[in-house]
Amino acid sequence: MLYTMFKVPDHQVAGHQACDGVLGPLIDDSGNFYKPLQSDDRGSKEVAFYTSFSSNTNIPNHIRRFFPKFNGTQLIEASDGSGMHPHLVLQDVVSSRLNPSVIDIKIGSRTWYPQASEDYIQRCLKKDRETTGLTLGFRISGLRIYKNERSGFWKPDRNVIRKFTAEDVRLVLRQFVSSNSPSDSGLDPDCSFASTVYGGSGGILAQLLELKEWFEHQTMFHFCSCSVLMVYEKESVLNERSSNAEVKLVDFAHVVEGKGVIDHNFLGGLCSLIKFISEILPCSDEHTAKASLQDPKKNYFNTNCDTKK
Amino acid sequence: MLYTMFKVPDHQVAGHQACDGVLGPLIDDSGNFYKPLQSDDRGSKEVAFYTSFSSNTNIPNHIRRFFPKFNGTQLIEASDGSGMHPHLVLQDVVSSRLNPSVIDIKIGSRTWYPQASEDYIQRCLKKDRETTGLTLGFRISGLRIYKNERSGFWKPDRNVIRKFTAEDVRLVLRQFVSSNSPSDSGLDPDCSFASTVYGGSGGILAQLLELKEWFEHQTMFHFCSCSVLMVYEKESVLNERSSNAEVKLVDFAHVVEGKGVIDHNFLGGLCSLIKFISEILPCSDEHTAKASLQDPKKNYFNTNCDTKK
């Protein structure tokens, strides 16, 4: 049996990080991400979701690729050395990447679900109202933008992110695809990577639109409090003019049964994010992103260009 | 000056009806609908919306037709004879119709908006959770289905409607387009008018999809607590094989500024309603409805048919 080296990932931008007795995730060299099962029923609910999802034959392959691969659960030594603890074994979505820029966006103006406890509902509602969740239909919950070899990453503090306004969100989505420094607040982001990262047939906008199409008719799951992760590498853009930009869905501790109804809460938030991102793209790039879909919403983007530019 | 005869409309299915000192709406013979201004700020807010909307040049004509025409305000004798009261003068959307069947659907899982008072928010939230609003993203708030000349209309009581479950909503949306009696609960609705009323290039589904496309990019208004009215005439379907089915948006006392963000709450609920209605249609009819749009989402409906039928 081979010995597996576990280490603490340095690319994680949101979610449960090791602190004050809370277990953090681990990674190995084989591209696995070990997420400790949360001790209340969230852990078992997330396992239940991954188990059900991975065996569900109604998920088309072009949608399945947006979810981290699930490799079961495993009992391993916890990140704080406190003993053995069960972990979800997932695909590490950034393992193959050098200096990935990552943004974690929690989707939905409502992060609670009707079946939850009153206490939980009130806590979520408060957070939804205090952040941009309620007004924008999504909120940024984590962020890590690569600057350059010398300066490393810009990774604002959680408490800073939590206070983001609608204008901050707009700015960050531009900074995410800019070549100039995101931490220099005096600088207007140049958005020079927008058409490579957000636009194009394999870009983030095209991927989000593919997800949207699925959410318009899937009624199996409601993804409460789930995040869209957007990942790319600045160096790939500079060297290869390709971003390998990728969209992943993560965090399924609060997925509930759809019971024949679409996830209108997630879909609404996703459409709002799509609108924000499409506004950063020059019109011609939007068209490229759209043209790659089987379903070109020409009218939508024409209107956009006519009125905005 | 001509004398105008005002009368109480018998086709209204939701909203403020005359009772206990609350003023009800009036109609005249020229196709006008007089809606009494509500005494708190709702009345003035609705006037402000209609005024702003009717002079807004960014509203495309194919969208404007979904809104009742606005003919200003007028001081007229109130419906209860209590004196002169200001009224909104609107197009009576069913004036030209004989025995219209009408359904009033309040769109959105959230009927409150961040700027409202805490008391108002809590009242709305309670109602959203008690009705299907939260789970379905919409709730039926009024209903009137024509049966035949002898039996007249089926118009369930408001308190019955308020208690509709998801299954009741599914049933009512089928009863709405059926030739057999909607009040006979033992009968399975035959949905024999579905393809004429919901389907086809001028049908309700095609109209809702046109609205959806607009809501995917309009960021001027957020339509809180606004309703979609669906209207058609059973006799037209029987005699002319045409339903003159029409979708209208009504109730704008709680429209707030969009501030550059799409109305993800309305859009999500609208997409959920679209999914409910598309499931009632046979696949071939869905395709007809879709084909009439500039934007045929073939993939969406193919998937639908493959998995459901």
Side-chain angles (χ1 to χ4, degrees), chain A residues 203-221:
Chain A
I204 279 173
L205 183 60
Q207 294 179 55
L208 293 177
L209 287 165
E210 236 178 303
L211 259 184
K212 167 179 173 256
E213 206 167 290
W214 184 62
F215 271 93
E216 282 174 343
H217 69 262
Q218 80 82 14
T219 61
M220 296 173 280
F221 305 108

Side-chain angles (χ1 to χ4, degrees), chain A residues 170-171 173-180 188-198 279-282 285:
Chain A
R170 231 177 261 282
L171 181 65
L173 289 173
R174 292 165 58 86
Q175 287 170 325
F176 188 63
V177 291
S178 290
S179 71
N180 47 4
D188 195 40
D190 60 22
C191 294
S192 61
F193 305 147
S195 55
T196 315
V197 176
Y198 289 152
E279 284 178 343
I280 296 170
L281 278 174
D285 292 318

Side-chain angles (χ1 to χ4, degrees), chain A residues 109-110 112 114 118 121 125 129 134-137 170 212-213 216-217 219 259-262 264 267-269 271-272 275-276 294-297 299-300 303, chain B residues 109-110 112 114 118 121 125 129 134-137 170 212-213 216-217 219 259-262 264 267-269 271-272 275-276 294-297 299-300 303:
Chain A
S109 63
R110 169 172 54 80
W112 52 277
E118 200 53 38
I121 291 176
L125 184 59
R129 292 176 67 178
L134 189 77
T135 49
L136 304 190
R170 231 177 261 282
K212 167 179 173 256
E213 206 167 290
E216 282 174 343
H217 69 262
T219 61
K259 295 181 182 163
V261 179
I262 64 163
H264 45 86
L267 177 59
C271 289
S272 179
K275 177 68 174 171
F276 269 70
Q294 291 168 287
D295 166 20
K297 292 183 199 63
N299 196 41
Y300 168 51
T303 314
Chain B
S109 62
R110 170 172 53 79
W112 52 277
E118 199 53 39
I121 290 176
L125 183 58
R129 292 175 67 178
L134 188 77
T135 49
L136 304 190
R170 230 176 261 282
K212 167 178 174 258
E213 207 167 292
E216 282 174 343
H217 69 263
T219 61
K259 294 182 183 164
V261 180
I262 65 163
H264 45 86
L267 177 59
C271 288
S272 179
K275 176 68 175 171
F276 269 71
Q294 292 167 285
D295 165 18
K297 291 182 199 64
N299 195 41
Y300 167 53
T303 314

